[in-house]
Amino acid sequence: MPEKHLFEYAVIRVMPRVEREEFLNVGVILYCSAQGFLKTMYTLNEDRLCAFSDKIDCQELTERLLAFERICAGRKEGGTIGQLPVASRFRWLTATRSTVVQTSPVHPGLCANAQETLEKLFEQLVM
C-alpha cells in the first residue's frame, strides 16, 4: 500500500455579485507539503458563466486564474507572492477575499499522489 501524505485543498469560485453570495465552482487548488506540490486546475465555461451573470468578463477571469497558476509555479513569473515558500503561497491564494474570484475554506485529506488527487477533486467539484 502506498504511503499517504496530508494534503490541503480549496475550491476556486467565481462570485459575480459578492453581496448575493452566489458562486460557480471553476477550479481547485491543492497543496501537499510532503510532495512539494502546489498546483491549480480550472476551467471557464463561458456559456455557463454568462447564463449565471451577464456582467461576467471572461477575459479578466482568465487573467486572474492565470495569476493563480503563476503563483503556484513560483519563480519570478509568480511575482512577489511567487517568491514565497510553497506553504505561504498556498495560504495567500486561499486567504479570505471579497472579490469576484474567491476560494472555499481549506479542507484536508490524505493522498498517495497529489496530481491524481487534484484531478479527482477537479472532476468531482468542478466538472
Side-chain angles (χ1 to χ4, degrees), residues 80-91:
T80 303
I81 305 303
Q83 305 301 305
L84 297 173
V86 176
S88 296
R89 284 184 271 149
F90 177 72
R91 300 284 171 245

Side-chain angles (χ1 to χ4, degrees), residues 22-81:
E22 298 171 338
F23 60 85
L24 289 173
N25 293 346
V26 298
V28 176
I29 181 169
L30 188 138
Y31 166 61
C32 179
S33 176
Q35 294 182 10
F37 186 91
L38 177 60
K39 193 170 178 182
T40 185
M41 289 182 72
Y42 63 88
T43 186
L44 287 179
N45 180 326
E46 291 188 30
D47 292 335
R48 189 172 179 209
L49 286 165
C50 289
F52 188 68
S53 173
D54 62 354
K55 297 187 182 356
I56 294 280
D57 180 345
C58 288
Q59 181 62 35
E60 181 182 344
L61 287 177
T62 299
E63 288 301 316
R64 290 182 185 211
L65 293 170
L66 284 172
F68 269 63
E69 265 186 0
R70 287 190 295 271
I71 291 168
C72 284
R75 301 180 304 277
K76 71 174 125 174
E77 294 84 8
T80 303
I81 305 303

Side-chain angles (χ1 to χ4, degrees), residues 7 10 14 18 22 34 38 64 71 83 89 92 96 100 108 112 117:
F7 73 90
V14 170
V18 177
E22 298 171 338
L38 177 60
R64 290 182 185 211
I71 291 168
Q83 305 301 305
R89 284 184 271 149
W92 189 88
T96 302
V100 173
T117 302

Side-chain angles (χ1 to χ4, degrees), residues 108-124:
L110 294 173
C111 71
N113 181 305
Q115 180 64 43
E116 287 177 7
T117 302
L118 174 62
E119 292 168 8
K120 181 179 175 184
L121 287 169
F122 181 77
E123 284 296 319
Q124 290 175 343

